[in-house]
């Protein structure tokens, strides 16, 4: 099967699983996920599962990427902070939707591979930074959305405070065994939380996650 046909099937599956936002569907039918994994994994790039990207990390499952992107609800022209660039795939999906993306990755070799890859695929506007996402990224705040692509034990304060009012943070909260996908909206009188179901992510390292 060609990558295009495989991607079409992946997107059909996302719709079957309940993804409704056309903008997310359109973006995911355009981003070449097979370019974000190793050559020898390219045949599996459009199956609905996570895949290894080296350094013990993974590119997230397409359904989870779709669900988190939909839950963020950010419009074209909005700005999102992603914590955990990994392969750069999630950042590319947001960029494809016309969203301005600032993405932090603490592993410098993953960060430079992702930066080069994104540039090569036409997503050079994504800012990939090397640093600790526990602190968010104050210079570009406020954000319309914050997406944390690694498991945390608790809500990280700094990234929440870098949300503009009405902005949303989507993150997996739990322990090493499993987490719950949570959407937190910053409202005038405080955070409003919504639980979206179980998920399993690699660990965020540092203060709100686990020891390095
Ligand atoms: N969004 C990625 C998947 C991320 S996997 C994709 O689309 O491919 C989680 C990533 O978080 C890993 O690359 C890991 O190195 C990174 N990470 C872990 N702890 C971090 C921290 N404290 N700050 C920034 N990145 C971190």
């Amino acid at each position: 099967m060609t990558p295009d046909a495989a991607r079409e099937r992946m997107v059909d599956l996302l719709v079957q699983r309940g993804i409704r936002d056309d903008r997310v569907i359109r973006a995911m039918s355009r981003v070449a996920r097979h370019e974000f994994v190793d050559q020898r994994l390219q045949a599996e790039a459009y199956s609905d599962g996570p895949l290894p990207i080296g350094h013990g990390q993974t590119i997230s499952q397409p359904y989870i990427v779709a669900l988190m992107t939909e839950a963020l609800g950010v419009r074209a022209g909005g700005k999102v902070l992603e914590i955990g660039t990994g392969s750069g795939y999630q950042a590319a999906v947001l960029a494809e939707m016309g969203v301005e993306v600032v993405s932090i990755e603490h592993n410098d070799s993953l960060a430079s591979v992702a930066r080069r890859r994104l540039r090569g695929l036409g997503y050079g506007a994504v800012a990939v930074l090397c640093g600790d996402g526990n602190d968010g990224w104050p210079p570009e705040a406020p954000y319309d959305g914050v997406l944390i692509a690694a498991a945390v034990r608790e809500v990280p304060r700094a990234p929440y405070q870098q949300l503009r009012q009405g902005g949303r943070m989507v993150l997996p909260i739990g322990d090493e065994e499993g987490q719950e996908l949570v959407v937190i909206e910053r409202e005038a009188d405080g955070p409003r939380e919504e639980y979206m179901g179980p998920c399993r992510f690699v660990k965020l390292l540092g203060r709100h996650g686990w020891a390095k």
Side-chain angles (χ1 to χ4, degrees):
M1 202 189 305
T2 63
D4 286 356
R7 189 159 59 251
E8 226 167 273
R9 271 185 39 175
M10 175 193 85
V11 168
D12 286 347
L13 185 72
L14 298 177
V15 174
Q16 270 172 40
R17 291 196 67 178
I19 301 301
R20 288 286 166 264
D21 188 333
D22 270 351
R23 300 169 319 132
V24 176
I25 302 288
R26 229 177 298 131
M28 290 186 70
S29 60
R30 288 191 187 138
V31 179
R33 191 172 189 262
H34 65 283
E35 302 280 7
F36 291 81
V37 297
D38 212 76
Q39 195 103 43
R40 69 194 162 80
L41 292 174
Q42 288 196 346
E44 295 165 64
Y46 295 104
S47 56
D48 195 22
L51 290 170
I53 55 171
H55 305 273
Q57 306 303 322
T58 56
I59 177 174
S60 307
Q61 178 188 355
Y63 174 66
I64 293 291
V65 170
L67 197 60
M68 291 178 92
T69 309
E70 186 173 66
L72 264 185
V74 174
R75 295 171 189 286
K79 195 197 283 185
V80 167
L81 173 68
E82 179 191 25
I83 298 174
T85 315
S87 68
Y89 176 71
Q90 170 74 72
V93 169
L94 288 163
E96 188 64 53
M97 292 168 66
V99 170
E100 184 184 340
V101 188
V102 177
S103 185
I104 307 189
E105 170 57 57
H106 86 136
N107 180 306
D108 55 359
S109 101
L110 285 174
S112 55
V113 170
R115 195 178 293 124
R116 201 173 327 125
R117 175 184 286 138
L118 286 165
R119 204 181 303 132
L121 294 170
Y123 303 110
V126 173
V128 178
L129 309 162
C130 194
D132 183 357
N134 284 280
D135 303 326
W137 184 253
E140 293 283 343
Y143 301 100
D144 300 289
V146 173
L147 189 156
I148 307 188
V152 293
R153 290 178 294 105
E154 60 194 12
V155 179
R157 258 191 97 66
Y160 173 76
Q161 278 166 345
Q162 291 163 22
L163 278 176
R164 71 161 174 79
Q165 212 181 89
R168 290 186 194 159
M169 175 150 90
V170 183
L171 70 173
I173 306 182
D175 57 31
E176 293 179 64
E177 305 304 318
Q179 306 93 37
E180 173 91 17
L181 205 54
V182 185
V183 183
I184 302 178
E185 188 163 327
R186 180 173 189 173
E187 299 200 327
D189 54 354
R192 191 175 57 82
E193 298 188 1
E194 194 186 319
Y195 291 81
M196 300 191 64
C199 59
R200 187 158 186 184
F201 277 76
V202 295
K203 297 184 268 186
L204 187 89
L205 300 183
R207 195 165 356 112
H208 300 291
W210 284 267
K212 292 182 192 175

